[in-house]
Amino acid sequence: MAMEEEQQGHCDTILNVVEIMTKGNEEDDVAVGMGTEGKEDVDDDVGRDRVDKNMEVLNPKRFVRSDSLGKEACHVSGMATMSTKALSIAAVMKLAFQSIGVVYGDIGTSPLYVFASTFTDRNPTSDQIVGAVSLIIYSLTLFPLIKYVLIVLRANDNGDGGTFAMYSLICRHAKVNSIPSSQQGEDEMNLSAYQLQIPTKHLKRAEKIKAALERSSFAKAALLVIALLGTCMVIGDGILTPCISVLSAVDGVKKFDSHLKTDVVVMISVTILVILFSIQRFGTDKVGYTFAPAIMVWYLFIGGVGIFNLIQHDPLVLRAFNPVHIFRYFNGEPKQAWLSLGGIVLCMTGTEAMFADLGHFSVRSIQISFTAFVYPCLLCAYVGQAAYLSKFPYHVSDAFYKSTPEPMYWPMFVAAVIASIIASQAMISATFSIVKQSMALGCFPRVRVVHTSHKHEGQVYIPEINFFLMFACTLVIASFKETTKIGNAYGIAVMAVMLITTSLLVLIMLVIWQTSIFLVALFILIFGSFELLYFSSVLYKFSKGGYLPLSFAAAIFFIMYVWHYVHVKRYAFEVEQKVSTEYLISLSATLGITRVPGIGLLYTELTQGIPAIFSHFLANLPAIHSVLVFVSVKYLPVNKVPANERLLVRRVGPKDYKMYRCTARYGYRDRSIGNEEFENLLIGSLKAFIREENREDDIAMIAPEWKEEIQFLEKSRAHGVVYMLGHSEVRASLDSCLVKKVIVDYAYDFLRRNFRQGFVDLQIPNKNLLQVGMNYYI
């Protein structure tokens, strides 16, 4: 905490120096951040007056003179401090309890199928069982406990976790961002932690690596590809988790009839999944409090049964805590031991959820809940099963239910089904969140995002993705029918995500944390080598189902790559074709046509310059509105943008043109606001900007002037607000190669036509929408 306060002091000092330096800048461009004070009262004139009064007392430090809106639009002052808020002990314990129901459903249902997937075609000996459970013990210790709980959780983006969070963290410390909405101008990266530290040999090394990354276009592309692949594999995980969890839990229904056909189990599983996906539209409000008791009961059940089996059957299995049994396991039958790693790895399913779902909780709460409750219960469950199998090795294909005592069978069956549903729910929700993040950063086609809770803003529902997941899960279960085959596919998804996390974490260690090269090498040697060993084992089963997650990932990656590629090229085309300021000035205040009452909001991706679509509007329309605002919606590589920094406003051209530029900034977890709320915020920002623009001048002389401009703004709004968008047709240029023409003219065009249009995503009402077509040749 002392170090955080010291770094914050350095940040404040630098910000004060920058503020003093920028006050001397005599440029006319002023950027304004507008808060949300009084936004609930802005539907009537009284509310608007209240906003005006609030705007008068805004902190002057918010108004920073700058000659580049692109620079300021990429910087959020709260970036470096949002994750440093301390929580009370009571709050941490509350979050720790909630996390049990959200985060650990997946890893908690792993005991249902791990031993069955480890020994798929043989009855193990007592020594093999001890070796396998020793592998499980140290896999859980090495990866979930040491790697994720103690190391990876620290690599969060202002409290948010996951692949994209790590990518955004790297992008904020080095100019390696390939997302077009964030590459205009120089980002305000001077507040990075390593730039505020006293120069050391580690700092020099970090600066060299950072410079090499920034110079290499290949490195930038590779980083984005890694982030996208991680996203795709998590989505694949969202498909496989419901399949293997529900199918393995429902398999216990065979207690009714040992001769029950597999197709009946499949039909029951599919029915449960269809119901699960059908209720997604109702949301998962208060998901932590709802699911935590059920998952806690599940962990107590498996832990208690494990202790019972250990005492009842073979306490000597505790010798598995001696890692020497791992070496004996591999010395006996090396190839069989290596192949069994594909089943062992399933004990770590859901490990990535601890990091991916971090945004809903806190680092400390995740650490407490895993180390104090989840980890001990899992060890008891696996050791107990091993003790049972040491006496009944021929029950390995159904080790979980066979090892359950008769009086506990049906309570355990019910708890297993509920736990598998909760585990599925957690991964489905995580898939919705990660698709929303990808879409916000321009890496996924527009889909409908429904926020299902006003209290928990991270909870979203995406109908198109929900239908896709339901269809994919049904197809997987109907095709594979057995947990062992699905486990072959599941292992690849788990290890691929782990390897991607390791790769990004190594870069964070080198560039941001400035870790000793010895410790970085040790991290790679221990975790990287073991992960590659596990990954080689699961890849061996590629033809037995392992191809499934890679096929899903390849299809999703192709969609994301095509969308992102064209998105970048289209942005570059807009930058090249933007209209010069001289052209605008030559039109005079009337813009060469009639100015009609009202406010026109012209949407563009540019934060600097006049977009080419503006000249198309002038050429096709006989009149344009008396107040014109160029609006740029900018998604920053951060999780959230504080409300008081949402909008930035500046003037375009001379004052009598009544033209402005507004940049609306969002993080990838922010909720887009509706058109009425946006209009209220925009008008409030414009009024504050007009006042602040004239604050340093002779108030007595110019007061009538700015009051008149504000009155003109209010009258224009009374005549209505019209949203103007360019309806673009993107085509490959004539000299493009065949591959590019296929990607742009067919693949991207298909995606654009079959996904949501921009004005729907921006929540623009049809009655206020005006579109003009324009062709983009990239």
Side-chain angles (χ1 to χ4, degrees):
M1 183 61 70
M3 182 176 295
E4 291 174 351
E5 292 176 352
E6 181 181 355
Q7 290 183 355
Q8 183 60 39
H10 288 312
C11 291
D12 294 338
T13 302
I14 290 179
L15 287 173
N16 291 335
V17 173
V18 172
E19 184 181 359
I20 293 172
M21 294 174 64
T22 54
K23 279 186 177 180
N25 190 342
E26 296 301 327
E27 298 290 338
D28 290 333
D29 296 330
V30 181
V32 176
M34 187 264 181
T36 58
E37 297 88 353
K39 67 180 181 180
E40 295 179 357
D41 303 315
V42 294
D43 290 332
D44 52 26
D45 293 335
V46 176
R48 284 193 288 270
D49 290 339
R50 194 170 301 167
V51 172
D52 295 346
K53 292 177 182 178
N54 287 335
M55 297 303 296
E56 291 176 356
V57 295
L58 283 175
N59 188 342
K61 291 184 179 180
R62 259 181 221 168
F63 302 93
V64 181
R65 290 190 180 277
S66 172
D67 58 358
S68 174
L69 188 64
K71 291 182 181 180
E72 190 169 353
C74 293
H75 172 61
V76 177
S77 65
M79 281 181 181
T81 60
M82 283 191 291
S83 63
T84 61
K85 296 179 180 178
L87 295 174
S88 65
I89 296 177
V92 170
M93 297 307 296
K94 173 183 173 183
L95 289 174
F97 172 74
Q98 288 179 304
S99 68
I100 294 174
V102 176
V103 178
Y104 303 114
D106 194 2
I107 195 172
T109 54
S110 296
L112 285 165
Y113 46 78
V114 167
F115 278 106
S117 299
T118 301
F119 303 104
T120 54
D121 53 0
R122 58 190 172 124
N123 294 329
T125 64
S126 178
D127 289 339
Q128 288 174 336
I129 291 172
V130 172
V133 78
S134 184
L135 267 172
I136 292 173
I137 290 171
Y138 285 99
S139 295
L140 286 173
T141 303
L142 188 64
F143 292 98
L145 182 61
I146 298 178
K147 178 186 173 183
Y148 277 85
V149 171
L150 300 182
I151 302 175
V152 174
L153 289 183
R154 293 177 53 217
N156 61 82
D157 175 28
N158 297 321
D160 214 30
T163 304
F164 257 120
M166 298 179 78
Y167 177 70
S168 70
L169 183 64
I170 295 171
C171 290
R172 289 200 287 106
H173 287 75
K175 300 169 187 174
V176 294
N177 202 343
S178 298
I179 299 169
S181 62
S182 300
Q183 65 187 16
Q184 181 69 28
E186 294 187 8
D187 293 356
E188 298 279 347
M189 299 298 179
N190 59 313
L191 298 183
S192 301
Y194 63 84
Q195 291 178 321
L196 297 175
Q197 296 175 358
I198 298 175
T200 64
K201 61 180 182 180
H202 299 317
L203 175 60
K204 293 180 180 179
R205 184 196 68 205
E207 291 286 359
K208 290 180 180 178
I209 297 174
K210 173 174 172 283
L213 289 173
E214 293 174 349
R215 288 193 304 266
S216 173
S217 57
F218 173 80
K220 295 178 183 179
L223 270 176
L224 180 65
V225 168
I226 291 174
L228 293 181
L229 282 175
T231 301
C232 295
M233 296 309 297
V234 171
I235 295 175
D237 199 356
I239 296 172
L240 295 175
T241 296
C243 296
I244 193 169
S245 299
V246 173
L247 186 61
S248 57
V250 173
D251 199 54
V253 78
K254 289 182 178 179
K255 180 74 174 179
F256 281 115
D257 184 0
S258 59
H259 300 290
L260 197 66
K261 293 183 179 180
T262 302
D263 290 341
V264 176
V265 176
V266 169
M267 288 298 298
I268 296 174
S269 302
V270 169
T271 302
I272 292 175
L273 286 175
V274 170
I275 295 174
L276 175 64
F277 283 106
S278 298
I279 64 175
Q280 290 299 310
R281 61 191 180 91
F282 297 108
T284 54
D285 197 13
K286 298 181 180 178
V287 64
Y289 282 130
T290 304
F291 290 162
I295 293 295
M296 184 170 284
V297 168
W298 166 253
Y299 273 106
L300 292 175
F301 272 15
I302 62 175
V305 169
I307 294 174
F308 170 81
N309 285 325
L310 179 66
I311 299 173
Q312 182 75 16
H313 298 292
D314 187 10
L316 293 178
V317 80
L318 289 175
R319 66 186 187 274
F321 281 90
N322 185 348
V324 72
H325 290 282
I326 296 177
F327 296 99
R328 293 177 180 174
Y329 181 65
F330 277 92
N331 284 335
E333 297 182 21
K335 183 177 180 180
Q336 289 295 331
W338 172 68
L339 290 176
S340 69
L341 290 178
I344 299 292
V345 75
L346 297 181
C347 73
M348 299 182 288
T349 60
T351 298
E352 190 70 24
M354 286 193 289
F355 187 46
D357 290 332
L358 181 61
H360 298 286
F361 307 101
S362 68
V363 173
R364 188 65 64 193
S365 64
I366 297 292
Q367 291 174 334
I368 291 175
S369 58
F370 184 81
T371 56
F373 183 73
V374 174
Y375 179 70
C377 289
L378 287 175
L379 292 185
C380 292
Y382 287 115
V383 170
Q385 285 189 41
Y388 175 85
L389 289 176
S390 65
K391 283 193 173 182
F392 307 98
Y394 46 88
H395 287 166
V396 69
S397 61
D398 192 18
F400 179 82
Y401 282 114
K402 291 291 186 182
S403 64
T404 302
E406 188 70 25
M408 288 292 297
Y409 189 91
W410 292 115
M412 184 68 82
F413 172 73
V414 174
V417 173
I418 294 175
S420 66
I421 292 174
I422 293 173
S424 305
Q425 174 66 57
M427 286 308 303
I428 293 169
S429 300
T431 303
F432 292 157
S433 297
I434 203 167
V435 168
K436 179 180 179 293
Q437 294 178 10
S438 305
M439 184 178 63
L441 295 177
C443 298
F444 200 87
R446 295 186 181 97
V447 290
R448 183 188 176 200
V449 178
V450 179
H451 292 266
T452 58
S453 172
H454 294 288
K455 297 179 181 179
H456 307 276
E457 62 184 46
Q459 295 182 12
V460 295
Y461 163 67
I462 303 177
E464 296 93 333
I465 300 301
N466 187 67
F467 178 80
F468 167 74
L469 291 177
M470 182 177 69
F471 175 78
C473 287
T474 303
L475 183 64
V476 169
I477 289 184
S479 302
F480 286 79
K481 298 182 180 181
E482 297 178 6
T483 56
T484 52
K485 293 181 179 179
I486 300 177
N488 295 336
Y490 203 13
I492 289 184
V494 171
M495 292 314 305
V497 175
M498 282 192 173
L499 282 169
I500 290 171
T501 299
T502 298
S503 303
L504 293 175
L505 186 61
V506 168
L507 191 57
I508 290 174
M509 286 179 169
L510 292 171
V511 177
I512 303 174
W513 293 352
Q514 300 164 33
T515 308
S516 167
I517 195 68
F518 171 76
L519 294 178
V520 174
L522 188 63
F523 177 85
I524 296 173
L525 179 64
I526 295 176
F527 296 102
S529 59
F530 280 110
E531 286 172 356
L532 287 174
L533 180 63
Y534 278 115
F535 195 55
S536 65
S537 176
V538 295
L539 279 179
Y540 184 82
K541 301 178 180 179
F542 180 84
S543 61
K544 298 179 180 179
Y547 59 86
L548 190 65
L550 296 180
S551 301
F552 282 136
I556 299 170
F557 179 81
F558 178 76
I559 293 174
M560 297 178 74
Y561 176 80
V562 167
W563 191 265
H564 177 264
Y565 173 79
V566 178
H567 193 55
V568 171
K569 293 296 183 181
R570 175 182 166 181
Y571 182 82
F573 179 85
E574 285 201 5
V575 172
E576 293 175 0
Q577 300 296 322
K578 64 182 180 182
V579 179
S580 65
T581 306
E582 290 76 12
Y583 167 79
L584 179 66
I585 296 176
S586 67
L587 296 176
S588 75
T590 63
L591 302 182
I593 55 178
T594 304
R595 302 292 293 268
V596 298
I599 297 178
L601 304 182
L602 178 57
Y603 278 78
T604 173
E605 293 188 15
L606 299 180
T607 56
Q608 298 181 30
I610 308 300
I613 194 67
F614 176 67
S615 59
H616 282 255
F617 273 104
L618 295 182
N620 290 277
L621 297 175
I624 204 163
H625 301 88
S626 55
V627 175
L628 185 64
V629 183
F630 296 99
V631 179
S632 174
V633 179
K634 191 177 186 67
Y635 290 97
L636 305 183
V638 296
N639 56 348
K640 293 180 66 177
V641 174
N644 63 336
E645 300 183 27
R646 175 76 63 213
L647 303 182
L648 296 175
V649 176
R650 73 187 298 177
R651 189 182 296 278
V652 177
K655 289 185 178 181
D656 55 347
Y657 279 41
K658 301 296 188 298
M659 296 175 63
Y660 310 90
R661 186 186 307 281
C662 171
T663 300
R665 305 180 297 172
Y666 295 90
Y668 51 76
R669 286 190 62 214
D670 276 326
R671 178 186 304 189
S672 298
I673 58 179
N675 67 295
E676 291 185 6
E677 184 179 358
F678 178 77
E679 291 173 14
N680 292 327
L681 289 174
L682 176 60
I683 297 301
S685 292
L686 288 173
K687 291 178 180 179
F689 167 78
I690 294 170
R691 294 191 185 96
E692 179 61 26
E693 186 182 37
N694 299 282
R695 178 174 293 182
E696 297 178 2
D697 298 328
D698 189 338
I699 302 298
M701 293 181 60
I702 54 85
E705 181 180 341
W706 65 259
K707 286 185 177 179
E708 181 180 346
E709 186 172 2
I710 288 180
Q711 291 175 357
F712 183 82
L713 184 66
E714 293 174 341
K715 290 180 181 178
S716 299
R717 189 195 184 187
H719 285 88
V721 178
V722 175
Y723 297 78
M724 298 182 288
L725 274 73
H727 183 71
S728 58
E729 292 286 342
V730 182
R731 291 288 180 266
S733 56
L734 297 178
D735 58 346
S736 300
C737 64
L738 179 61
V739 175
K740 183 178 180 180
K741 289 181 178 179
V742 171
I743 289 176
V744 177
D745 294 346
Y746 296 97
Y748 175 80
D749 188 65
F750 174 82
L751 294 175
R752 186 185 62 83
R753 293 179 184 277
N754 288 276
F755 283 88
R756 290 162 63 86
Q757 299 298 313
F759 68 90
V760 178
D761 185 48
L762 295 170
Q763 303 184 43
I764 299 174
N766 285 320
K767 63 179 181 179
N768 295 354
L769 178 64
L770 180 62
Q771 288 186 296
V772 170
M774 181 177 177
N775 291 329
Y776 288 76
Y777 293 97
I778 61 175

